[in-house]
Amino acid sequence: MASNEEVKMGILIKYTFLNIKEHKFRTFLIVLSIMLSVGLFFSSLSISDALTEIIMENIQSQIGTAEIVISPGKYNSSGLLKEEPLGEASTLIDYTIGVVENRVNYQNSNEKTDQINLKGYRLEDLERINPVIFNQKLEDRTFVGKVLIISKAYAEEQNLAIGDFIKLEFSPEDYKYFQIYALAENKGFFKNTPSFGQREINFVAPRETLSRFIGHPDQVNTIYSKTIDDLTIDESIVALQKIYEREQVNKMVTKTEIDAQIRPIRIPFMFMLILVVIISIFIIYTSFKVITLERLPMLGTFRSIGATKKMTDFIMLGEAIIYGVLGSTLGVFVGHHLLSAVMSLIANDMGTMVLRYPKINVIIAIIFGLILSIGSALVPIIKTSKIPVKEILLNIIEGTKKKRKHSRYIIGVVLGGLSLVFPMQFNEGNIAAIAGGLGIILMIGALVCFIPLLTNLFIRLTERIFGLIFGNIGRIAVKNMRGNRSTQDNIILLTIGLASVLTIMVIGSGIQNETSRYYDEQNYEISIRSSEASRVTAQRIMSIEEINDAYYYQRAWNAFKYGGEEKPFIRSLVGIESENFLEFFNYDILNVSNDQEIIEELLIGRKLVLSTVIRDEYDFEVGDKLSLDTGNGIRDYEIIGFTDVKENNGQFGMTSMYNLKNDLKHFWGLNMAVKIKPGTNTVEIKEQIEKKLEHFNWYQVDTIKEMKQRNLDNNNQMIIILSVFSAATALIGSIGVMNNFLVSLLARRKSLAIYASIGMSKVQRRRMILIESISSGVIGGLFGIITAQLIMLRITSLLSQISIPLVLKISLLAGIVGFVGSVMVCLLSSISVLSQLRKLNIIKELRYE
Amino acid sequence: MSVVVNVKDVCKNFALGDEEVKVLKTLNFEINKGEFVSLMGPSGSGKSTLLYLMGGLDEPTHGEIRVNDKVLKQLKDKEESIMRRREIGFVFQFYNLIPNLNVEENILLPILLDGKKARDHQESLNEILSLVGLSDRRKHTPRELSGGQQQRVAIARALISEPDIILADEPTGNLDSVTGNEIMALFQRINQEKNKTIVQVTHSEEAAKYGTRIIRLKDGRLV
């Protein structure tokens, strides 16, 4: 037989479920908020893991299980390596495998040239580093001589079979025939992943064969290595560097590199998550304020018949827990699908979509949802819990408002102050991003504290105008809004919601506009990059009739170190040789009357033009002399100018090509900017250029249009994702506003009945409610736009601190659309309220307290 | 004396689940101008129901009520509302003031709802504030007033548009006896000095003594 306690708890649980059932719309709203928050939280949490999986899978498809790569060092003029005995390092290293990597051409079945990565491996080595699953194999041959393993997919595409002979072009007029030895399943090397918009097609040949082609049977051009314990990678690198003193020994992929790839995707997720969570907290908090008020009489009754405080608190908390469990469970489901959608957008460029994340993320997300629900509801529950039973029963609850409004403003001032201090104090590296984001959240918090004051001020200033436009009903409507908590809550929701949506829109369009502008401003049509290009190549290209002019230059990556810092000083350093640079590149040298003079000066001696991002980072001025570590000794350079070029996030500099070669020992090919004659077809010229470079191991030819479109498309994926989230934020905010209007109706039924009793007609009542709602929309819209603009200013400053120079502004159109949207949400909400008002029982409201 | 309220064959039924409860059963009476009538009777006798019918806030199931010669149930919502602004003033047990409006604003509401300018009624506002003794509280909100003061504001609101009739539902029900007597004395003064017809619902014999006539109800009928 159940004990008394069990019976009481059973009654309370039953009561909790009844309450939830009674207010289905409110339940739906709260659960929806939690669901979206948890969904977004889950995807943000899991996206790093999922993306890392994709990136690692792509990397592994190219290099298998290798963790370390040994490549020819700067002073290795032959570019070849010999595998050395490991000696003491054998305790750390699982394997070192030498390979010959080559790039060859194959004339495919469409008469077009496919660039093939031809990798020379011993079969037993291949099994260790990246096992192949054979689909078919020649039985009467071994993997020796001029034989190939190719992917089954490529063979089917090109109508090839095992035993076929194919012709590969190693260099112009240098062809070799290989026999297809085996077809491999589409895994590992043969996965056929795209990279930079191009397919990566891998063939494998015997290592000895390719070594003979490069002239040294025992030598290779790359060595891959794997550790026994991956925790000892750094130690292993040191050990291998001792063995291969003059060569480069590096990690295959560092976590920093992967994080850097993921960060542009993860950061917007986190930002949206914070906004959605703030709105959700607000919705749950305001809903529970009403829930606790509604439950008061019943709570008093329960207490008066013997329920303990714990039991009545349980009723309230129980409701919050139920919302949390429901919302979290649905949220994980939503989050999984959201992540899947995001990954399929991103993975287009990366070949395959693999959705993997730690299962613990599901638990963490559910806990997050519970904390969100319970945490948001806690304050109203605690407040209600403190009310003495007598006061509840006698309905003489003393207001605790007292000086509350002053504490709100004090909190607002403190938050505002902290929002300025945090970003100033923590303004370097990753911490800058976090502090900046926190600063924005605190700023929003500060604004929220002041919204009631600002609303009242606005109303006072516009009361007369409302009277003039709408007559006495307008005046009454405006007076109703003064100090009305529901109105204030709505304005807060509208402000945060609109600010979020506008922020996302502006960031998205800002990025796209900046990208477009950069490419539109260039004065050439085709860009060429090649590791092997030389002046001879440039001359050959210039021989194409339709080419008007070309400019060649070099680009070194991660050039110089400065001030004892480990990180590279200039990420992208352009080396120029001739004076007509500015005829091709629209770079503005700041604060000089004649840019051309600076370009000419750059060619003489050790001079630098740096980006404004680097200038601001180090507080440089024109004329400053820098001692730079070139990797081959310290050299002194002079800064002669600054430019606000945004490429590579502003990590950009210019010097002469001579300095690149002489100081940095940079021999890496040539880049070219090509102008074509007016009226000629850019794509046809591009193809002609590609034909001239076919025999190179690596080259890239792009039209400016293609580069622009690729960048825009890449950005577009992220912008679509952000737009989805901003739509979700807008949806939650709108539903929150609707809920507030309905909640406000609950509280105002009595007032509306009083108005009816003193002669307000139904038409007047409708007008009054509509005026109130439109006014809320107008005020919320204005505050939302102002808040968004303040956020833009903060984000611009934050981005510049983390070396992303982007200026953001709200366009007139975006402002108007946002403003109108805000008003429409309120209007639609009021229409739903008006429909509820038809059920208003005036007498019932008037007679009872 | 002219008749301001005419109740003829009025019945009022309420649905309670599947049953129909007859609250008022065929009432017939008249109220003349200048009378101060107290509707009395035990709980559930239908006094408040009758009061709200007279104010046009509800409709009789059968019969008709005329106020100032207008049949209430024939009036449209707009006409009824106008009537409540200009010809009828309501005073309730729980004051029913608008909480975020101050004393002046609460009092002027019927004027504003009638589309008139507040500044054109400053003189009558001042007079009424003086009558109810709240001239020094005009900018206070209801939260800052005592129960008696709030009731005075409600009375002032009921008077501002100079209605012919004031309907009061247990006006002293939420007040202590001293304050209650003050309010009743005010009603009496309004009745005598301004010749306003007052109909009040009350349980209190004390309060009824301030009136000129008592109508008693029991089980929905006049006794």
Side-chain angles (χ1 to χ4, degrees), chain A residues 277-293:
Chain A
V277 165
I278 288 174
I279 292 179
S280 297
I281 289 172
F282 197 73
I283 290 173
I284 298 167
Y285 170 74
T286 50
S287 294
F288 265 85
K289 267 200 310 189
V290 172
I291 290 171
T292 50
L293 272 176

Side-chain angles (χ1 to χ4, degrees), chain B residues 33-132:
Chain B
K33 186 166 171 48
E35 284 195 285
F36 187 164
V37 177
S38 300
L39 293 177
M40 298 191 73
S43 286
S45 57
K47 324 181 280 297
S48 295
T49 305
L50 178 58
L51 192 79
Y52 288 109
L53 288 176
M54 289 199 290
L57 291 175
D58 203 355
E59 272 185 18
T61 312
H62 300 292
E64 69 177 35
I65 298 179
R66 283 173 184 266
V67 173
N68 284 340
D69 229 18
K70 295 186 194 93
V71 178
L72 289 183
K73 71 179 180 187
Q74 287 175 359
L75 296 178
K76 293 197 170 61
D77 174 70
K78 188 175 175 182
E79 289 160 333
E80 259 185 9
S81 300
I82 291 172
M83 180 168 240
R84 278 199 290 278
R85 284 176 222 157
R86 297 178 189 171
E87 297 174 50
I88 300 173
F90 263 105
V91 178
F92 301 96
Q93 179 179 358
F94 295 105
Y95 331 127
N96 287 342
L97 302 177
I98 304 294
N100 55 311
L101 301 181
N102 63 28
V103 166
E104 267 185 7
E105 289 164 344
N106 265 289
I107 294 171
L108 286 169
L109 271 177
I111 299 289
L112 293 176
L113 288 171
D114 218 18
K116 295 173 186 157
K117 290 197 174 93
R119 62 171 176 265
D120 296 339
H121 290 80
Q122 281 302 312
E123 213 180 295
S124 37
L125 173 66
N126 292 337
E127 198 191 307
I128 284 168
L129 279 167
S130 174
L131 174 68
V132 299

Side-chain angles (χ1 to χ4, degrees), chain A residues 30 40 73 92 144 153 155 298 415 440 477 517 534 536 578 677 712:
Chain A
I30 296 173
L40 196 48
L92 296 167
V144 169
M298 207 45 80
L415 289 177
I440 291 171
R517 191 187 67 84
S534 62
V536 170
S578 71
K677 288 181 180 154
L712 290 174

Side-chain angles (χ1 to χ4, degrees), chain A residues 285 289 293 296 383 387 391 397-409 452 482-486 488-489 747, chain B residues 99-100 141 143:
Chain A
Y285 170 74
K289 267 200 310 189
L293 272 176
L296 263 179
K383 275 191 184 162
I387 302 172
E391 285 183 21
I397 296 158
E398 296 295 316
T400 51
K401 291 187 185 123
K402 296 181 198 164
K403 306 283 179 204
R404 203 165 147 251
K405 38 177 200 192
H406 297 303
S407 64
R408 188 186 195 133
Y409 303 140
R482 229 171 42 207
N484 183 306
R485 289 306 299 270
S486 268
Q488 289 167 3
D489 289 345
Chain B
N100 55 311
T141 59
R143 268 187 220 107

Side-chain angles (χ1 to χ4, degrees), chain A residues 630-806:
Chain A
T630 66
N632 303 297
I634 307 291
R635 302 285 180 267
D636 291 332
Y637 277 74
E638 183 187 349
I639 300 173
I640 60 169
F642 298 105
T643 175
D644 63 356
V645 162
K646 308 273 194 292
E647 61 175 78
N648 291 294
N649 295 331
Q651 294 296 319
F652 173 83
M654 290 162 54
T655 189
S656 68
M657 208 189 297
Y658 178 81
N659 290 332
L660 236 59
K661 286 186 184 158
N662 207 43
D663 287 352
L664 290 168
K665 307 294 182 210
H666 182 79
F667 307 107
W668 195 89
L670 276 183
N671 295 349
M672 287 178 72
V674 173
K675 288 193 201 200
I676 62 173
K677 288 181 180 154
T680 41
N681 186 313
T682 325
V683 174
E684 280 174 14
I685 309 303
K686 176 189 161 180
E687 283 171 8
Q688 287 190 48
I689 294 171
E690 280 174 333
K691 252 202 143 30
K692 293 205 183 279
L693 302 176
E694 263 176 353
H695 57 283
F696 282 168
N697 269 325
W698 190 86
Y699 65 87
Q700 180 137 3
V701 183
D702 292 300
T703 65
I704 283 290
K705 260 194 188 157
E706 283 170 351
M707 286 161 70
K708 173 178 159 181
Q709 195 54 49
R710 197 157 54 228
N711 262 282
L712 290 174
D713 289 345
N714 281 340
N715 295 340
N716 234 13
Q717 289 171 356
M718 190 37 52
I719 287 162
I720 289 170
I721 293 162
L722 290 177
S723 302
V724 164
F725 283 118
S726 82
T729 313
L731 176 66
I732 299 180
S734 304
I735 293 174
V737 165
M738 216 170 281
N739 180 57
N740 267 339
F741 267 97
L742 281 169
V743 156
S744 145
L745 169 64
L746 273 176
R748 288 186 69 192
R749 278 194 308 231
K750 194 176 179 73
S751 295
L752 295 171
I754 295 169
Y755 279 122
S757 74
I758 56 169
M760 182 180 269
S761 66
K762 285 177 186 164
V763 168
Q764 285 176 319
R765 190 168 71 207
R766 272 200 292 273
R767 278 189 75 205
M768 181 180 77
I769 289 170
L770 284 172
I771 293 167
E772 285 172 15
S773 69
I774 291 171
S775 310
S776 295
V778 165
I779 298 171
L782 281 173
F783 286 171
I785 292 169
I786 292 168
T787 305
Q789 189 54 54
L790 288 170
I791 294 175
M792 290 307 124
L793 290 170
R794 282 303 193 88
I795 291 179
T796 303
S797 161
L798 166 67
L799 288 175
S800 71
Q801 279 176 1
I802 55 173
S803 308
I804 302 174
L806 193 65

